[in-house]
Amino acid sequence: MRNPIGIISMQFTRPFTGKDLHYFQKAADLGFDFVELLVPEPEDRLKIEDVKSAADAAGIFIVLAARTNLQRSIASADAKSRQGGFDYIMHCVDLAAELGVRIVGGPLYGEPLVFAGRQPMPRNDHEIAEFRERTISAFSQLASYARSANVVLAVEPLNRFETDIISTTNQAVEIVDAVDNPAFKLMLDTFHMNMEDPSIDGAIKKAGGRIAHFQANENHRGYPGTGHIDWRTVMLTLAKVGYQGPISLEPFRRNDDRVALPIAQWRPPYEDEAPMLRAGLELIRGAFNECAGA
Amino acid sequence: MRNPIGIISMQFTRPFTGKDLHYFQKAADLGFDFVELLVPEPEDRLKIEDVKSAADAAGIFIVLAARTNLQRSIASADAKSRQGGFDYIMHCVDLAAELGVRIVGGPLYGEPLVFAGRQPMPRNDHEIAEFRERTISAFSQLASYARSANVVLAVEPLNRFETDIISTTNQAVEIVDAVDNPAFKLMLDTFHMNMEDPSIDGAIKKAGGRIAHFQANENHRGYPGTGHIDWRTVMLTLAKVGYQGPISLEPFRRNDDRVALPIAQWRPPYEDEAPMLRAGLELIRGAFNECAGA
């Protein structure tokens, strides 16, 4: 058994349009097993059958990364935004089923903060409880829908600056257990865990069999091995909890350290990243193989 | 030699008004050597002479934490905001001089992101260079002003979600070196370093003698010792670079892990925090003493 290792589509380009399907072959050539594709928007002009055939031709599979926003927000206090979130996640499930994709991951609860220009505001105990209830109620329905389609929803905690719904592994575990449906699991990302969890390996142990997808990102989001995440411990712990699912990389370029560069903002590649991506893949694969005793 | 260890005023309450000066004695009773006081706003109704006498009576000293915003933003493209930032930092220096305070620290460059409801946006190379030039130009003038007042400005990098001017220690070092004035140094915070620096101890080594103020915060901002920051390595490195300045704690309560709790939002204490604050202080003091061989 060997965990598939993949790469996010926006590593290559964003938006990822019908003209960009050749990147599937590039990912395969670099040694990746799958591409984590941002769920296409209509303006991306991606034809489902073209995506499927390009992936098949390259010999890679696809994991879908859902893109929620304030209008696609099942946790929202606004009924229209909740419906928007509900409709969107059903659309993601339909698309996954059509593509033969198993996993739809991401901050499926909605309610973005910094990337929507929304600032953190206090909530009283009643409001906090209501956000929680709306989240569980919607996910319960959506999990049933996903299960019928043989798709797994993987909810991802985001750090405190990106959302105010689920930021810690504890919070995600609580929601997954409350929904209690095998089609509803969680996705962990070391970038967010490094900020919000008391201990990364402790959080992986706690999440255990609930993990359906994993993102291996450095603390500063650079290429794996250039930050301070302890990859050996991370991979050892994943092996210990028996994780056999996909591991994806999103190493947004961080070797540009100019004053006043907006670091949180996506930037296109400006150099050939193949050597760094290959090295990152080998580092993660090597750490995992060593720890799994493979 | 023993580094003074302090606590941020908002650990106790916010806003910190004229009625809250008794917290200086509480900080002293807990064992802290100083209070890091948010620079008062007019509506806080804090009289300078009362602040000074309360601090003297408690036997603690004060470090000032400046509060910039979009209207107090020396890096801004908007001339009025730049002037607002300039005037504000001069006001902070005046206040420090009046209070006999040595250090004014914080994100003195301005340009907040998430806490101002501003989302990250791309900048072209020309804009990036302009932000850098405005920052250096303003800091050069302000450093001269501070030097005349025998006050040190300590510029603090904030993570990518809180600003898009200075996020890494490298960037801060570049600005400090460009300004080249003994009254202009830097302040490091392990919370931000954990997110943005390739290695926390590497960054401390690089900053070296430029460090004027240090904040010892856990990765998730809980009480020291409850997260994954390696305090022994941090303190060992501070001792190695000969750092003898203040170390302050801002352990915003993180034992509340409810789903939909806005973690980034300041919350008032809801329990007696004295035991946790004492334990945090002892942990930091102990790690430092051990490493300094004291």
Side-chain angles (χ1 to χ4, degrees):
Chain A
M1 182 64 204
R2 163 191 120 126
N3 291 64
I5 301 183
I7 183 93
I8 192 94
S9 62
M10 63 178 149
Q11 190 70 32
F12 302 119
T13 189
R14 178 172 141 176
F16 194 95
T17 72
K19 292 176 180 166
D20 300 310
L21 290 166
H22 61 96
Y23 285 117
F24 288 174
Q25 186 60 54
K26 178 163 184 177
D29 292 344
L30 286 166
F32 291 103
D33 305 304
F34 70 94
V35 167
E36 183 165 337
L37 179 67
L38 299 195
V39 169
E41 301 291 333
E43 64 268 25
D44 296 340
R45 300 177 177 277
L46 265 182
K47 288 186 194 156
I48 306 305
E49 59 272 26
D50 292 349
V51 173
K52 203 167 174 1
S53 60
D56 287 347
I60 55 130
F61 70 94
I62 292 172
V63 168
L64 285 175
R67 298 194 266 188
T68 52
N69 56 38
L70 287 177
Q71 290 75 46
R72 298 169 177 171
S73 192
I74 60 156
S76 175
D78 175 71
K80 201 175 159 201
S81 296
R82 285 202 300 279
Q83 189 61 47
F86 209 87
D87 292 346
Y88 177 70
I89 295 175
M90 289 204 297
H91 160 70
C92 293
V93 169
D94 293 346
L95 180 67
E98 205 177 338
L99 277 171
V101 162
R102 175 76 177 148
I103 296 169
V104 175
L108 306 171
Y109 38 82
E111 298 296 275
L113 281 170
V114 64
F115 289 111
R118 189 167 69 90
Q119 64 190 119
M121 296 293 283
R123 286 180 185 144
N124 64 36
D125 291 349
H126 178 67
E127 290 168 327
I128 290 172
E130 283 189 328
F131 272 99
R132 180 183 184 276
E133 287 316 306
R134 286 195 296 267
T135 303
I136 293 171
S137 163
F139 277 151
S140 296
Q141 297 174 68
L142 290 165
S144 298
Y145 188 80
R147 192 175 187 181
S148 306
N150 197 29
V151 169
V152 170
L153 297 175
V155 66
E156 179 188 20
L158 297 185
N159 69 76
R160 70 189 68 189
F161 304 115
E162 295 193 48
T163 191
D164 46 13
I165 302 296
I166 298 179
S167 294
T168 68
T169 300
N170 263 347
Q171 292 171 334
V173 164
E174 179 183 331
I175 293 296
V176 167
D177 289 355
V179 169
D180 191 23
N181 186 317
F184 190 74
K185 298 199 161 189
L186 68 80
M187 161 176 171
L188 294 180
D189 179 336
T190 45
F191 171 75
H192 301 293
M193 300 175 85
N194 173 61
M195 292 171 64
E196 301 299 350
D197 287 324
S199 121
I200 295 180
D201 54 317
I204 293 172
K205 278 178 202 153
K206 165 124 193 193
R210 300 175 188 86
I211 310 172
H213 189 38
F214 197 87
Q215 292 185 324
N217 291 316
E218 274 293 359
N219 67 294
H220 61 347
R221 226 67 204 226
Y223 299 106
T226 63
H228 66 63
I229 299 286
D230 177 357
W231 291 114
R232 204 179 172 285
T233 298
V234 169
M235 295 304 158
L236 181 64
T237 314
L238 282 174
K240 271 188 188 162
V241 302
Y243 181 65
Q244 302 186 328
I247 297 173
S248 72
L249 311 186
E250 298 178 297
F252 303 141
R253 43 215 66 86
R254 274 302 308 278
N255 33 5
D256 183 352
D257 211 21
R258 278 178 294 170
V259 169
L261 174 80
I263 299 177
Q265 175 67 35
W266 183 84
R267 298 173 297 286
Y270 59 86
E271 60 184 335
D272 178 17
E273 300 189 330
M276 290 82 87
L277 293 178
R278 275 205 187 88
L281 169 63
E282 287 317 307
L283 178 121
I284 298 295
R285 173 105 64 213
F288 202 86
N289 285 347
E290 183 192 348
C291 296
Chain B
M1 184 61 204
R2 162 193 121 126
N3 292 65
I5 302 184
I7 183 91
I8 191 97
S9 62
M10 64 178 149
Q11 189 71 31
F12 303 118
T13 189
R14 180 173 140 176
F16 194 95
T17 72
K19 292 174 182 169
D20 300 310
L21 290 167
H22 60 96
Y23 285 117
F24 288 175
Q25 186 60 53
K26 180 166 182 173
D29 292 344
L30 286 166
F32 291 103
D33 305 305
F34 71 92
V35 167
E36 183 166 336
L37 179 68
L38 300 195
V39 170
E41 300 291 333
E43 64 268 26
D44 296 342
R45 299 176 176 279
L46 266 182
K47 288 187 195 153
I48 304 307
E49 58 272 26
D50 293 349
V51 174
K52 202 166 174 2
S53 60
D56 287 346
I60 55 135
F61 70 93
I62 292 172
V63 168
L64 285 175
R67 298 193 268 189
T68 52
N69 56 38
L70 288 177
Q71 290 75 45
R72 298 170 177 170
S73 193
I74 59 156
S76 174
D78 176 70
K80 202 174 157 201
S81 297
R82 284 202 300 278
Q83 189 62 46
F86 209 87
D87 293 344
Y88 177 69
I89 296 175
M90 287 203 299
H91 160 69
C92 293
V93 169
D94 293 345
L95 181 65
E98 204 177 341
L99 276 171
V101 162
R102 174 80 176 146
I103 297 169
V104 174
L108 306 172
Y109 39 81
E111 297 299 273
L113 281 169
V114 64
F115 289 111
R118 189 168 69 92
Q119 65 191 117
M121 297 293 284
R123 287 180 186 144
N124 63 37
D125 291 349
H126 179 66
E127 290 167 327
I128 290 172
E130 283 189 328
F131 273 98
R132 180 182 183 279
E133 286 315 306
R134 285 194 295 267
T135 302
I136 293 172
S137 162
F139 277 151
S140 296
Q141 297 174 69
L142 288 166
S144 298
Y145 188 79
R147 191 175 187 183
S148 306
N150 197 28
V151 168
V152 171
L153 297 175
V155 67
E156 178 187 20
L158 296 185
N159 69 77
R160 70 188 68 189
F161 303 115
E162 296 193 48
T163 192
D164 46 12
I165 301 294
I166 298 180
S167 294
T168 68
T169 300
N170 262 349
Q171 291 171 336
V173 163
E174 180 183 331
I175 294 296
V176 167
D177 288 354
V179 170
D180 191 22
N181 186 316
F184 191 74
K185 297 200 160 189
L186 69 80
M187 160 175 171
L188 295 179
D189 179 335
T190 46
F191 172 76
H192 301 293
M193 299 176 85
N194 174 59
M195 294 172 62
E196 301 299 350
D197 286 325
S199 123
I200 294 181
D201 54 315
I204 293 172
K205 278 177 203 154
K206 167 127 192 191
R210 300 173 188 88
I211 309 173
H213 189 38
F214 197 85
Q215 292 185 324
N217 291 315
E218 274 293 357
N219 67 294
H220 62 347
R221 234 55 212 224
Y223 300 107
T226 64
H228 66 63
I229 298 288
D230 177 356
W231 292 115
R232 205 182 170 285
T233 299
V234 169
M235 296 304 157
L236 181 64
T237 314
L238 282 174
K240 270 187 189 162
V241 301
Y243 181 64
Q244 301 185 328
I247 298 174
S248 72
L249 312 185
E250 299 178 296
F252 303 140
R253 42 216 66 87
R254 273 304 307 279
N255 34 6
D256 182 352
D257 212 22
R258 278 177 294 169
V259 169
L261 174 80
I263 299 177
Q265 176 66 36
W266 182 85
R267 296 173 298 288
Y270 59 88
E271 61 183 336
D272 177 18
E273 301 188 329
M276 290 84 87
L277 292 177
R278 276 206 187 89
L281 170 63
E282 286 318 307
L283 180 123
I284 297 297
R285 173 103 64 211
F288 202 87
N289 285 346
E290 184 192 347
C291 295

